[in-house]
Amino acid sequence: MAVDAARGLAVFGMFAAHVGPDPEVGGAVGAAMQLAHGRASALFALLAGLALVLIAGRRPKAGRDGRQALARIVIRAVVLLAMGLALSRIGSPVEPILAAYGVYFLLALPLLRLPAQWLAGTAAAWAVLGPQLSFAARVAGVGEDGTWLSELLLTGLYPAATWMPYVLAGMALGRLDLAAGAVRRRLAAVGAGLAVLGYGTSWIALRVLGAEQPSEGEGTVAIDDPVGLLGAAPHTGSTFEILGNLGCAGLVLVACGALAERFGPRAAAPLATVGAVSLSAYVGHIALIVLLDIELVPGPPLRVLAAFVAGTLLSAWLWAGRFRRGPLETLVHRATLAARYVR
């Protein structure tokens, strides 16, 4: 329930980033929109890593069961890659994250059997080294060919070079007993610490240099602005942004667990219902943006975001009353049934 509720919040965060008012409007609305930018997609990626562990088994399966679990993940990755590439060709002003998800899943396969401590350590090391290595590689001209693979790995809006820490951290969380109060309290403390470390250290470093916080990026730190590596702006892929986003994602997951525990499952049910059909909701909102020809720059008025949120809540509730899975979730599930033929 908590994981689905967090996924539902991530869906609405993506809506806010895509069809919400520009953060420049200021005030409470602007602050809320700013919180969504970059952090909602990071939360999605963290929850994707957690889902990988749930598919593979919190205690990794062995033998035929293990091979079938790996096959399900590979099939899911291929389907997401296909969906993402198809979405990118319908003329959407939103760059879909689904193809990147497919790449993340494939890259995570060799690490699926690692325990939580090793996954967390790998995530931390990748968060620290990945942005610097990405910057150096792009300065050296790697990825200049502009192919879809180089964009997914290094130069796009969601490059694996700087987004894998979210997936790895989610995998580490999937190994933990998140229903235990002690685990959630530790996660809250770690999340708060990472948020302060990421955003706070960036703020101090830029103040010392007398530099301004970079503006929202296009997935990477610009190679002509090495100071950007010290920033923490959304979609810049710096170490400080990654650490801060990881902290926020952990806090959201803890908050959703606390909501369900304190007020009962019904309190989290509306968000969880949306989270259970998150793939359909995500693809659906991109399709609507294209069909309705919604102008995203500058940000649409708040009523557009409210309509997307209300419509999704109602649609998810009506669908859940009749079906177990969302329409696209059903498609992915049926595709993964082929894994049962693996021996």
Side-chain angles (χ1 to χ4, degrees):
M1 181 68 76
V3 170
D4 276 343
R7 195 175 286 116
L9 274 177
V11 168
F12 291 150
M14 295 289 262
F15 288 4
H18 297 157
V19 297
D22 192 308
E24 295 297 325
V25 300
V29 172
M33 297 305 104
Q34 186 63 48
L35 280 174
H37 282 246
R39 296 173 185 86
S41 47
L43 175 59
F44 254 133
L46 180 135
L47 295 172
L50 198 156
L52 279 181
V53 170
L54 296 182
I55 294 170
R58 288 180 60 191
R59 292 183 178 179
K61 301 171 184 176
R64 186 178 69 177
D65 289 343
R67 291 190 291 273
Q68 290 182 349
L70 290 177
R72 285 196 295 273
I73 292 172
V74 171
I75 293 170
R76 188 177 295 264
V78 171
V79 172
L80 290 175
L81 270 167
M83 283 186 182
L85 294 176
L87 276 179
S88 66
R89 284 166 171 72
I90 66 173
S92 168
V94 174
E95 184 172 340
I97 196 174
L98 297 183
Y101 266 16
V103 172
Y104 304 158
F105 284 10
L106 295 175
L107 291 176
L109 286 177
L111 308 174
L112 272 175
R113 301 187 68 84
L114 291 180
Q117 297 91 328
W118 281 90
L119 287 167
T122 305
W126 202 314
V128 171
L129 298 176
Q132 281 59 244
L133 294 176
S134 166
F135 186 85
R138 288 181 290 108
V139 167
V142 179
E144 286 183 346
D145 54 1
T147 63
W148 66 271
L149 185 57
S150 65
E151 289 185 358
L152 289 172
L153 292 175
L154 189 64
T155 62
L157 188 60
Y158 309 106
T162 50
W163 276 71
M164 279 302 291
Y166 302 125
V167 179
L168 295 171
M171 292 168 65
L173 292 178
R175 293 267 183 261
L176 305 178
D177 180 10
L178 295 175
V183 172
R184 291 209 304 271
R185 287 190 293 273
R186 286 197 294 272
L187 178 56
V190 171
L194 285 174
V196 171
L197 177 64
Y199 303 135
T201 305
S202 170
W203 182 83
I204 292 171
L206 292 175
R207 292 271 293 185
V208 169
L209 292 177
E212 294 184 358
Q213 182 71 250
S215 57
E216 183 169 340
E218 295 295 327
T220 56
V221 174
I223 59 175
D224 60 351
D225 182 27
V227 174
L229 290 169
L230 299 176
H235 292 297
T236 52
S238 71
T239 290
F240 297 118
E241 187 210 359
I242 294 170
L243 294 177
N245 287 353
L246 281 171
C248 287
L251 289 173
V252 168
L253 188 56
V254 170
C256 289
L259 175 68
E261 184 177 68
R262 176 68 178 82
F263 299 103
R266 288 186 178 181
L271 283 174
T273 301
V274 172
V277 295
S278 58
L279 177 61
S280 299
Y282 179 80
V283 172
H285 101 281
I286 292 180
L288 277 177
I289 289 172
V290 174
L291 290 173
L292 300 177
D293 195 22
I294 297 175
E295 295 288 339
L296 304 188
V297 180
L302 188 58
R303 63 177 179 273
V304 175
L305 173 59
F308 270 73
V309 171
T312 302
L313 280 168
L314 178 60
S315 300
W317 177 69
L318 292 174
W319 188 273
R322 298 190 60 186
F323 303 99
R324 181 181 175 186
R325 297 182 177 88
L328 292 183
E329 285 77 8
T330 299
L331 184 153
V332 174
H333 172 71
R334 289 179 177 174
T336 60
L337 293 179
R340 62 189 173 186
Y341 297 109
V342 173
R343 293 292 182 260

